[in-house]
Amino acid sequence: MSIILTLNAGSSSLKYSVYRDVSPDPVELISGQVENLGPAARQIIKHHGQNNGQKEIIEIGAADHNLAVKAILRSLAPMLNNETVTGVGHRVVHGGVEFDKPCLLNDEIMERLRALIPLAPLHQPHNLACARAAIDTFPDAIQVACFDTAFHRGHPWVNDTFALPKRFYEQGVRRYGFHGLSYDYISATIAEQHPDFADAKVVVAHLGNGASMCALNNGKSIGSSMGFSALDGLPMGTRCGQLDPGVLLYLMDQGHSSEQISRILYKESGLKGLSGITSDMRELLASDDENAKRAIDYYVFRIRREVGAMAAILGGIDALIFCGGIGENSPEIRARILDRLGFLGFELDVDANLNGARDISVGKTEALVIPTDEERVIARAVKSMSHAE
Ligand code: ADP
């Protein structure tokens, strides 16, 4: 039996999943995370399948991405019973204009992806460091890059451009959109489990620490709330969402450097910045603090506004799908979003929403909760490429 490994590298963490390559769909055996990359990294391993739910924590000492991949391999080896890792799939945040589907990694592709670092300076270098480490660690396995931007590459021009001088568009200053692996999963799930919606107008709200919305027409993305970077659109845990670019000019005139502005926009804004308390929605919902309530008010308001915008670009809406940590787990936030959307045909099924049901609307427009699974999209891509070899 062969094993597929998926890797998802952030700046200070590395998430992975281990799948057995079986048909029709890979089966997840283990998932894990190396946290606190740096001097005191530790690995958390979660078993699925036979030992479902069992958790282990392993201190691995100082580790960068390279050492973390090796530590993962060391800890996995005894569990894999001599099964071979034949394919490794990587989440790569940016595929630029050219990459509209997963591709096999080789030195030439790595070089082309390195050239995209200026488009995603905070994420792309970590993705590529991790890919390099995996190539060294698993020299006989195929390595597949799966892009967060690829699912959105078919956007019509009006949804791909900014109204800047057109030379910037040619230079790659475009609305790329992100969370593409999540939307890919949701689109495939709709096709499989809700064939009645396969050619429908569907809006997907991915509400996690990062948050965005996608307009699906016949299962294809025609619009994303995220744009050039993963900052635009909805407010997020610590990111600002939509912002008047005049604010940036003002901050620059006030003497803020690009590093300072970057920190404000990526790390200090969103729910955390508005509440002054935390980026964690669970804590905000449990808090009596007026600023926590206002942060949630803004969050819900902007999501509702974006549902309206997505319905407008689709020319209607047949279904709204919630996913991501907040979308999947918070009945209160879902209820508040749907509360003022009756004009689009939504009517909340209160009990279904509270009881964790998938279908939570009794109105003529569907509202569904579908847990997303980005790792599975990567594993499927590796599987299809290894079988095409
Ligand atoms: P990431 O984008 O890092 O993968 P997740 O999709 O795990 O993040 O989402 C994390 C967010 O989900 C956090 O704000 C967390 O508070 C929120 N969340 C998780 N469970 C619940 C819950 N039961 N109620 C409300 N929010 C929740």
Side-chain angles (χ1 to χ4, degrees), residues 19-249:
Y19 291 84
R20 178 161 288 132
D21 183 359
V22 290
S23 291
D25 214 15
V27 170
E28 191 175 28
L29 304 175
I30 300 165
S31 59
Q33 182 164 9
V34 180
E35 290 182 342
N36 306 331
L37 281 180
R42 61 181 205 154
Q43 190 185 170
I44 301 170
I45 304 177
K46 195 165 160 203
H47 295 262
H48 304 274
Q50 273 180 349
N51 303 320
N52 207 359
Q54 191 187 319
K55 259 192 181 179
E56 279 176 71
I57 298 179
I58 305 175
E59 305 294 332
I60 56 176
D64 56 11
H65 287 94
N66 199 347
L67 292 173
V69 171
K70 296 202 163 95
I72 290 171
L73 176 66
R74 265 201 313 278
S75 55
L76 289 180
M79 296 181 241
L80 295 181
N81 300 325
N82 295 326
E83 294 180 63
T84 316
V85 175
T86 52
V88 186
H90 301 270
R91 181 182 189 171
V92 177
V93 68
H94 223 300
V97 172
E98 91 181 279
F99 293 98
D100 60 359
K101 54 178 173 303
C103 76
L104 284 173
L105 277 175
N106 55 31
D107 287 346
E108 187 231 322
I109 299 282
M110 286 287 280
E111 214 37 59
R112 277 158 53 191
L113 296 178
R114 205 163 288 123
L116 298 174
I117 286 176
L119 296 177
L122 301 180
H123 296 98
Q124 194 88 341
H126 301 299
N127 302 154
L128 299 184
C130 188
R132 173 49 61 199
I135 292 168
D136 294 344
T137 314
F138 306 101
D140 297 327
I142 61 162
Q143 307 279 336
V144 179
C146 298
F147 304 97
D148 256 337
T149 47
F151 190 68
H152 302 294
R153 283 320 299 143
H155 282 183
W157 177 77
V158 286
N159 251 339
D160 192 36
T161 192
F162 297 99
L164 290 170
K166 70 179 174 22
R167 64 179 182 279
F168 291 108
Y169 182 80
E170 307 307 333
Q171 283 174 26
V173 181
R174 303 188 185 193
R175 282 185 209 276
Y176 291 98
F178 298 87
H179 283 142
L181 300 174
S182 173
Y183 297 128
D184 196 336
Y185 178 83
I186 298 292
S187 176
T189 304
I190 295 170
E192 191 192 313
Q193 295 174 14
H194 299 272
D196 42 326
F197 289 141
D199 55 1
K201 300 174 187 349
V202 175
V203 175
V204 187
H206 177 111
L207 309 177
N209 280 317
S212 74
M213 220 174 263
C214 176
L216 291 179
N217 196 25
N218 301 321
K220 302 264 179 291
S221 170
I222 62 160
S224 160
S225 63
M226 278 182 173
F228 178 70
S229 71
L231 282 173
D232 202 3
L234 307 177
M236 310 174 212
T238 60
R239 289 176 243 160
C240 57
Q242 189 273 327
L243 185 72
D244 178 346
V247 174
L248 303 184
L249 298 176

Side-chain angles (χ1 to χ4, degrees), residues 15 206-210 279-282 285 324-326 329-330:
K15 292 185 193 163
H206 177 111
L207 309 177
N209 280 317
S279 62
D280 192 309
M281 182 57 90
R282 276 167 297 201
L285 286 167
I326 298 172
N329 298 304
S330 177

Side-chain angles (χ1 to χ4, degrees), residues 328-329 331 334 350-360 369 371:
E328 290 165 26
N329 298 304
R334 293 193 300 257
V350 176
D351 290 339
N353 184 42
L354 286 174
N355 295 333
R358 173 173 279 222
D359 184 346
I360 59 167
V369 182

Side-chain angles (χ1 to χ4, degrees), residues 357-369:
R358 173 173 279 222
D359 184 346
I360 59 167
S361 173
V362 287
K364 73 174 173 50
T365 311
E366 291 282 357
L368 302 172
V369 182

